[in-house]
Amino acid sequence: MTDDTLETNAFYRHIKDHHGEELAGWCEPSWVICIPQQSTIQDVPLTQPLVEAHALRQCGAPGQYVSALCGESTVYQIAGEEPRAIISNQEKGSEVLVSKATVINEYLVTVKDKVIHILLIDSLLSTALDQDEEAIQQLSVTSITSFAQAEKFLQKFDCHQPVLQEVEQRLRDASQHLHLGNDVDQIQTVLQDLLIHFWEDLLRKHSPALQTYTSFQDLLFRALDYYVGGRLHSRLWWLVCERCQVVDQLVKTRLSHLRHANLSALQLGVPPNYYTPLPAAVVELASLAGVESGVGRLQCVNSTIDLIQAQAKEARVTLHQYKDQEGEPELELSPEELVALLTTVVVQAQCSNLVTNIYYMTHFVFSVTEDDPLWRSLGLLRLTLENIMKLDVARLPPSSKNLRKELSLQDLMQVSAEVESRFESKGASRSIGDITALDLQLHQLTQQIQLSTQALSETHLTQRNSAGRRSDRTATSPTQDSGKTQSFREFLASIPSSLRESLRRRQSQQRSAIQSSLNG
């Protein structure tokens, strides 16, 4: 093959016409460009991933190279005399696949005053795009709801490795420049720019089919949101805490008071026959502080609301079945009931820094649109917190002594006996209207206690002070300070939405640009 025939090679012409800037950077002595012979590229789309897979950079020992596409995840060895061969070993699960391409000819060409080392080879090098086909098949069952899942998703593609290395470096640089003097809006803009930039870079590493797949685009952006937010979480959280600490203290004081007052959903209007404790939702919300990213914390809030709805529906179904009622039970919670139940969960969870969390999630979540259930859950939490700050316990119906959140063992035994006597008095009749969802739950708990007592009959039960007995010290309400409440509401209302129209517009423009480049 002569220099003239090199110019007729479609792969080489494509690189010169569409990747001139990159080609000038892939120069001697560090880089070697592999050009597959014409017969091997018939009907093969000449995409950016294919081009980058054939740009090899020297690394490590002499004769070892990595591609611009996959970085250190695949190492190539140029070995032998005449003919030379390009060999790579790739681990695929328990198998090791060996690929080999023979060097047909060698060239030195000049592009923009740079000397480019070119090897003509007899076959295509691996592009790892088989991972894209697998990803398309699994998209419908792929979701990302944690930092660990995001990290695993981003790292499972070999072609992501070079971009992720750049992400890590940029995030280290960004972390060093975060300090109290930074403007939060400015930080938000910088992170938006990073996310858009890396999102586009990662997309362009994939096959055209996957690049233009909307579900994959969204999943990739969500993964980056978790990844970038998780890496910068400690610094960002520290900045936001400083801004919200005064208002957070107001909320903390109010939540403590409401808990000592034994606030219940019954006092807030939830029908007595449908009332049920929500321990799973309380535990989920209480875990908020352990989640290290804005979008992760938003997922935690959404999961809390999902658990409230699931537990409330389960209680209604159980009550409906127990009473042998006809038709279908009313499962949907009204907006007022949902807010009331979330209010009691927030009070019981006693989360610190709730305002900081709202501020943090509002500013540093980028992959959630306004119509996403995750974003609506944040709005519900804000509304609930506003209602909590307006609550006047003195004006609410009195709380029931039977609904204390904490009981001593002696109290629990007494409640169990009362519940059992009620059920025994009903006999076989299930149509009596005063049996509630809470009664059924206590009835099940009582049976468990009886079984446990039989097995551990020698256990000595020690009386402890119950929350109900301690309530005489904390039942008095602190003086209602309308000025502080108003300050809280004004602060909350001043938190802007981070989901600016500019971000959506820029993302839309980038999607269109990617589509246009593929069509071109």
Side-chain angles (χ1 to χ4, degrees):
M1 185 173 185
T2 65
D3 288 349
D4 291 337
T5 56
L6 178 61
E7 292 294 338
T8 66
N9 181 282
F11 191 94
Y12 179 66
R13 292 202 317 271
H14 177 81
I15 293 179
K16 287 186 64 178
D17 295 342
H18 300 282
H19 300 276
E21 292 295 330
E22 295 97 321
L23 187 58
W26 295 333
C27 59
E28 277 271 280
S30 300
W31 291 83
V32 173
I33 310 302
C34 299
I35 304 294
Q37 63 181 347
Q38 185 68 38
S39 61
T40 65
I41 57 175
Q42 301 296 334
D43 302 321
V44 176
L46 301 180
T47 61
Q48 178 174 322
L50 185 67
V51 171
E52 290 183 350
H54 289 78
L56 304 185
R57 175 177 57 84
Q58 189 169 2
C59 72
Q64 289 190 346
Y65 295 80
V66 295
S67 71
L69 178 68
C70 296
E72 296 177 4
S73 61
T74 303
V75 177
Y76 293 91
Q77 180 81 33
I78 300 180
E81 295 299 332
E82 294 295 338
R84 286 188 294 168
I86 301 176
I87 303 171
S88 70
N89 299 333
Q90 295 178 308
E91 295 183 7
K92 300 294 182 182
S94 59
E95 299 181 6
V96 177
L97 304 180
V98 180
S99 65
K100 178 180 179 180
T102 301
V103 177
I104 299 174
N105 214 332
E106 187 170 1
Y107 303 89
L108 293 176
V109 300
T110 302
V111 176
K112 296 184 178 181
D113 299 325
K114 301 289 186 180
V115 177
I116 311 300
H117 188 181
I118 292 178
L119 300 179
L120 179 69
I121 57 178
D122 66 348
S123 62
L124 289 165
L125 298 182
S126 172
T127 62
L129 294 184
D130 54 333
Q131 294 179 320
D132 287 3
E133 297 177 5
E134 181 183 350
I136 291 176
Q137 296 172 359
Q138 297 178 350
L139 270 181
S140 60
V141 294
T142 302
S143 62
I144 296 176
T145 59
S146 68
F147 177 85
Q149 289 177 344
E151 187 175 40
K152 182 178 180 181
F153 176 80
L154 291 172
Q155 293 180 350
K156 80 174 183 177
F157 296 98
D158 293 340
C159 61
H160 286 181
Q161 200 262 354
V163 178
L164 293 180
Q165 285 185 334
E166 185 183 355
V167 171
E168 288 292 340
Q169 183 58 52
R170 294 284 293 274
L171 292 181
R172 283 194 292 269
D173 294 341
S175 180
Q176 292 175 1
H177 292 87
L178 289 177
H179 52 79
L180 287 177
N182 291 135
D183 179 76
V184 172
D185 290 337
Q186 183 180 6
I187 297 172
Q188 182 186 42
T189 301
V190 170
L191 292 184
Q192 285 180 357
D193 291 341
L194 283 176
L195 282 170
I196 289 289
H197 171 73
F198 289 127
W199 174 71
E200 183 181 3
D201 282 355
L202 288 172
L203 273 180
R204 292 188 184 280
K205 293 286 187 178
H206 292 279
S207 64
L210 202 56
Q211 282 190 46
T212 55
Y213 209 123
T214 302
S215 296
F216 179 74
Q217 292 176 346
D218 293 340
L219 197 64
L220 185 61
F221 199 66
R222 178 63 57 84
L224 275 173
D225 199 353
Y226 269 103
Y227 194 77
V228 171
R231 287 286 188 261
L232 295 177
H233 167 73
S234 59
R235 300 287 289 177
L236 294 174
W237 179 249
W238 171 62
L239 293 177
V240 176
C241 279
E242 290 293 322
R243 177 167 294 203
C244 303
Q245 59 180 339
V246 175
V247 184
D248 259 330
Q249 186 59 46
L250 293 176
V251 175
K252 181 180 179 181
T253 302
R254 170 52 60 92
L255 292 178
S256 177
H257 164 61
L258 292 177
R259 186 183 186 188
H260 288 308
N262 287 319
L263 178 73
S264 76
L266 296 178
Q267 294 174 280
L268 301 176
V270 174
N273 58 325
Y274 286 147
Y275 172 77
T276 183
L278 303 166
V282 173
V283 170
E284 180 69 13
L285 188 60
S287 70
L288 191 65
V291 182
E292 297 188 342
S293 71
V295 67
R297 294 194 175 196
L298 190 53
Q299 181 69 52
C300 182
V301 173
N302 185 69
S303 298
T304 299
I305 294 171
D306 284 346
L307 285 170
I308 291 174
Q309 293 175 319
Q311 290 175 281
K313 289 177 181 179
E314 181 183 4
R316 295 185 178 196
V317 168
T318 302
L319 183 63
H320 188 83
Q321 293 173 341
Y322 177 81
K323 293 187 175 183
D324 292 332
Q325 295 175 334
E326 297 182 357
E328 296 295 326
E330 177 57 48
L331 297 180
E332 293 301 321
L333 299 175
S334 69
E336 294 76 17
E337 289 174 337
L338 183 55
V339 170
L341 291 173
L342 181 57
T343 297
T344 60
V345 169
V346 170
V347 170
Q348 292 178 57
Q350 292 288 298
C351 294
S352 57
N353 306 114
L354 267 181
V355 179
T356 302
N357 272 295
I358 291 176
Y359 195 100
Y360 183 57
M361 290 182 283
T362 302
H363 278 81
F364 298 115
V365 174
F366 303 99
S367 62
V368 179
T369 58
E370 289 87 340
D371 57 351
D372 192 294
L374 291 181
W375 195 251
R376 291 197 295 269
S377 68
L378 179 58
L380 189 61
L381 179 62
R382 288 180 63 153
L383 175 61
T384 299
L385 211 52
E386 289 180 13
N387 290 344
I388 284 175
M389 294 304 291
K390 292 187 293 186
L391 272 179
D392 187 348
V393 178
R395 295 174 179 267
L396 294 176
S399 61
S400 170
K401 293 182 179 180
N402 294 328
L403 296 177
R404 287 176 296 179
K405 308 301 186 305
E406 301 173 7
L407 297 174
S408 68
L409 291 176
Q410 183 173 346
D411 292 332
L412 192 56
M413 293 174 63
Q414 181 179 350
V415 170
S416 300
E418 293 173 356
V419 169
E420 283 304 284
S421 67
R422 287 190 62 204
F423 273 82
E424 290 172 0
S425 67
K426 303 301 179 187
S429 173
R430 297 189 174 190
S431 60
I432 307 299
D434 61 349
I435 294 293
T436 69
L438 180 60
D439 291 329
L440 291 177
Q441 190 175 55
L442 289 173
H443 179 55
Q444 294 171 355
L445 178 61
T446 298
Q447 293 176 325
Q448 293 174 5
I449 292 174
Q450 289 175 341
L451 292 174
S452 176
T453 302
Q454 292 172 6
L456 302 173
S457 58
E458 299 301 322
T459 300
H460 297 285
L461 302 179
T462 303
Q463 180 176 344
R464 298 169 57 190
N465 287 332
S466 69
R469 290 188 173 89
R470 293 196 306 268
S471 62
D472 59 325
R473 294 176 296 163
T474 56
T476 56
S477 171
T479 303
Q480 183 78 9
D481 190 333
S482 58
K484 291 182 179 179
T485 302
Q486 182 63 26
S487 297
F488 163 81
R489 295 181 64 189
E490 290 175 353
F491 183 87
L492 207 59
S494 70
I495 300 177
S497 171
S498 67
L499 300 180
R500 299 175 178 174
E501 182 61 29
S502 62
L503 175 62
R504 298 288 158 242
R505 184 168 58 252
R506 288 179 58 198
Q507 254 194 300
S508 178
Q509 290 170 348
Q510 296 294 349
R511 293 178 200 257
S512 299
I514 290 170
Q515 183 66 58
S516 298
S517 66
L518 293 173
N519 293 338

